[in-house]
Amino acid sequence: MVFVRTTPPRPVDVAAVLPELAPLARAAIRLHPRPGAPSVEESSVGGPLLWPAEEPWPHCEASHLHVDSGFRRSPADVRLKRRMQARWHRDHNGRGTTPEEAAVKERNAAMLAERFAVGPPPADCPVPMLPVAQLYLRDIPLLRPPGQADLLQVLWCPYDHDPHHKPSTALFWRSATEVVDILATPPEPYEVNGDGYLPEPCVLAPEAITEYPNSLGLGPQMLLSVEDWSRWQAAGVDVDGSEHAHCPRDFYDVHLADAPGWKVGGWPPWGRTDPISRYCAVCDAQMVPLLTIASYEWDGGEGHSWAPHEEQAAADTTGHCCGQDPSQPTKVEVGSTDNMQIYVCPASPEHPHTDLIQ
């Protein structure tokens, strides 16, 4: 079933109010991942991958000695916890564990005990990576795959890695028609370092939008234009009625610049750090954003103006319980509820990628 998510129109046309910013407009595609049951033939977040049976599944070869075991849970336990929380959300009087859930919990514990019967795996044992996203070119035309490839697959290790305390990522470009025999049961890690590193399987509703740079990425003269209150007032923007009445720059960043949430392309969501240019390790070209992996689809407060039309009522609701926040459909949480951006070389997507927490 095809579903649609539509970003509400921005409060003002940036290019009309600030023509000097028009050349900085960038195309982006909001993915709008929502829980579902995607197949290997579909674009997805956290769904099954169209992976060749004859191709080895990627493993993280790094040591995981530094990982705090207090945060580790098996993928099966994380999924069970989420199912229980979803049931509690639907039925506030249904707390506790059903017989079926108790059986699953017992089975999970038995499987884990069997795996660890001879002791836990060594810290330097390769860890199977987890699917993060699968994107078909037919759904995401902003992708610029190499050669005849029409499919991008992104995976990560479910543990933090030094020096920046984030999952290590792997990218694979392939031609879908060349995959004949599909790997039916990919390996999974024994544990994940926190629930936020196990994406919930989600279907996508790709939507093309236009973005502008965060104010941190603007030059001094353009920043002065953004901060010129009279420019916004002349355009009929009710800045006075906004919580940003004394800071048009905040109004611009929150409502007009770069969209929150999972997306392909667009501009970086600076804020955790000042803008940092990334350069290709092979050809020294300045790298461009490929994929934003977001902890949340929209921000609280005025930031939920980016929530789709179809979910404005849910975005306005406060007091979400049982871990059922509509702005966090993927259950992914990176950094301190931040974003991870994957960058690629514009000259060749096959050159090594890099990533950055923002």
Side-chain angles (χ1 to χ4, degrees):
M1 177 180 176
V2 176
F3 75 101
V4 173
R5 290 294 181 269
T6 313
T7 301
R10 296 299 81 207
V12 66
D13 183 346
V14 174
V17 178
L18 302 170
E20 56 267 50
L21 263 64
L24 300 180
R26 265 189 196 175
I29 295 181
R30 299 188 75 185
L31 299 180
H32 297 304
R34 300 296 183 267
S39 74
V40 296
E41 304 291 342
E42 295 176 288
S43 295
S44 66
V45 162
L49 303 185
L50 187 77
W51 196 269
E54 70 278 5
E55 184 174 326
W57 187 261
H59 286 62
C60 178
E61 304 288 341
S63 171
H64 302 89
L65 270 172
H66 66 284
V67 178
D68 184 350
S69 61
F71 292 98
R72 296 183 184 184
R73 301 169 64 97
S74 73
D77 278 342
V78 173
R79 294 185 182 110
L80 175 61
K81 174 188 172 185
R82 290 177 180 172
R83 288 200 298 272
M84 292 172 65
Q85 288 178 328
R87 180 175 60 79
W88 296 342
H89 182 68
R90 294 191 303 269
D91 179 8
H92 297 296
N93 297 318
R95 293 276 183 165
T97 306
T98 66
E100 293 79 9
E101 291 164 350
V104 173
K105 191 172 184 178
E106 185 176 342
R107 186 162 61 250
N108 291 349
M111 291 173 58
L112 197 60
E114 182 180 345
R115 287 175 175 175
F116 282 78
V118 294
D124 58 354
C125 178
V127 172
M129 303 186 88
L130 286 170
V132 174
Q134 173 167 272
L135 305 176
Y136 282 88
L137 181 62
R138 64 172 185 263
D139 301 320
I140 317 294
L142 275 187
L143 295 174
R144 295 291 180 266
Q148 299 302 307
D150 60 358
L151 176 60
L152 170 65
Q153 295 169 326
V154 182
L155 302 92
W156 68 16
C157 173
Y159 298 101
D160 284 322
H161 287 258
D162 290 332
H164 301 297
H165 306 291
K166 62 186 178 185
S168 60
T169 54
L171 270 59
F172 296 86
W173 298 93
R174 66 176 78 252
S175 172
T177 58
E178 294 179 359
V179 182
V180 180
D181 296 320
I182 302 169
L183 182 64
T185 310
E188 281 199 328
Y190 289 112
E191 299 168 315
V192 294
N193 187 38
D195 299 3
Y197 287 167
L198 181 66
E200 186 75 6
C202 290
V203 294
L204 307 182
E207 178 198 19
I209 63 168
T210 299
E211 292 191 341
Y212 294 90
N214 182 280
S215 65
L216 291 173
L218 297 176
Q221 192 59 46
M222 287 188 178
L223 189 55
L224 285 174
S225 297
V226 167
E227 294 178 332
D228 184 349
W229 200 348
S230 65
R231 299 281 290 272
W232 301 108
Q233 289 176 313
V237 179
D238 183 18
V239 179
D240 291 326
S242 165
E243 68 181 46
H244 309 297
H246 300 294
C247 191
R249 175 175 176 175
D250 284 351
F251 171 79
Y252 168 82
D253 281 336
V254 171
H255 296 289
L256 304 174
D258 53 288
W262 290 65
K263 64 186 179 184
V264 168
W267 283 96
W270 301 120
R272 177 64 61 183
T273 70
D274 288 336
I276 302 171
S277 295
R278 322 292 286 178
Y279 294 95
C280 178
V282 175
C283 68
D284 206 36
Q286 184 168 341
M287 305 180 86
V288 296
L290 171 67
L291 173 67
T292 298
I293 299 169
S295 295
Y296 288 91
E297 284 294 282
W298 59 81
D299 301 323
E302 289 198 41
H304 78 235
S305 73
W306 288 98
H309 271 304
E310 298 82 358
E311 293 168 326
Q312 281 291 317
D316 288 336
T317 303
T318 59
H320 305 299
C321 69
C322 309
Q324 305 303 298
D325 187 339
S327 68
Q328 197 177 29
T330 66
K331 308 298 186 188
V332 165
E333 193 163 311
V334 291
S336 299
T337 65
D338 296 316
N339 305 287
M340 173 184 277
Q341 274 212 309
I342 293 177
Y343 290 78
V344 291
C345 174
S348 174
E350 293 180 299
H351 288 173
H353 72 284
T354 189
D355 51 54
L356 178 68
I357 294 287
Q358 277 299 311

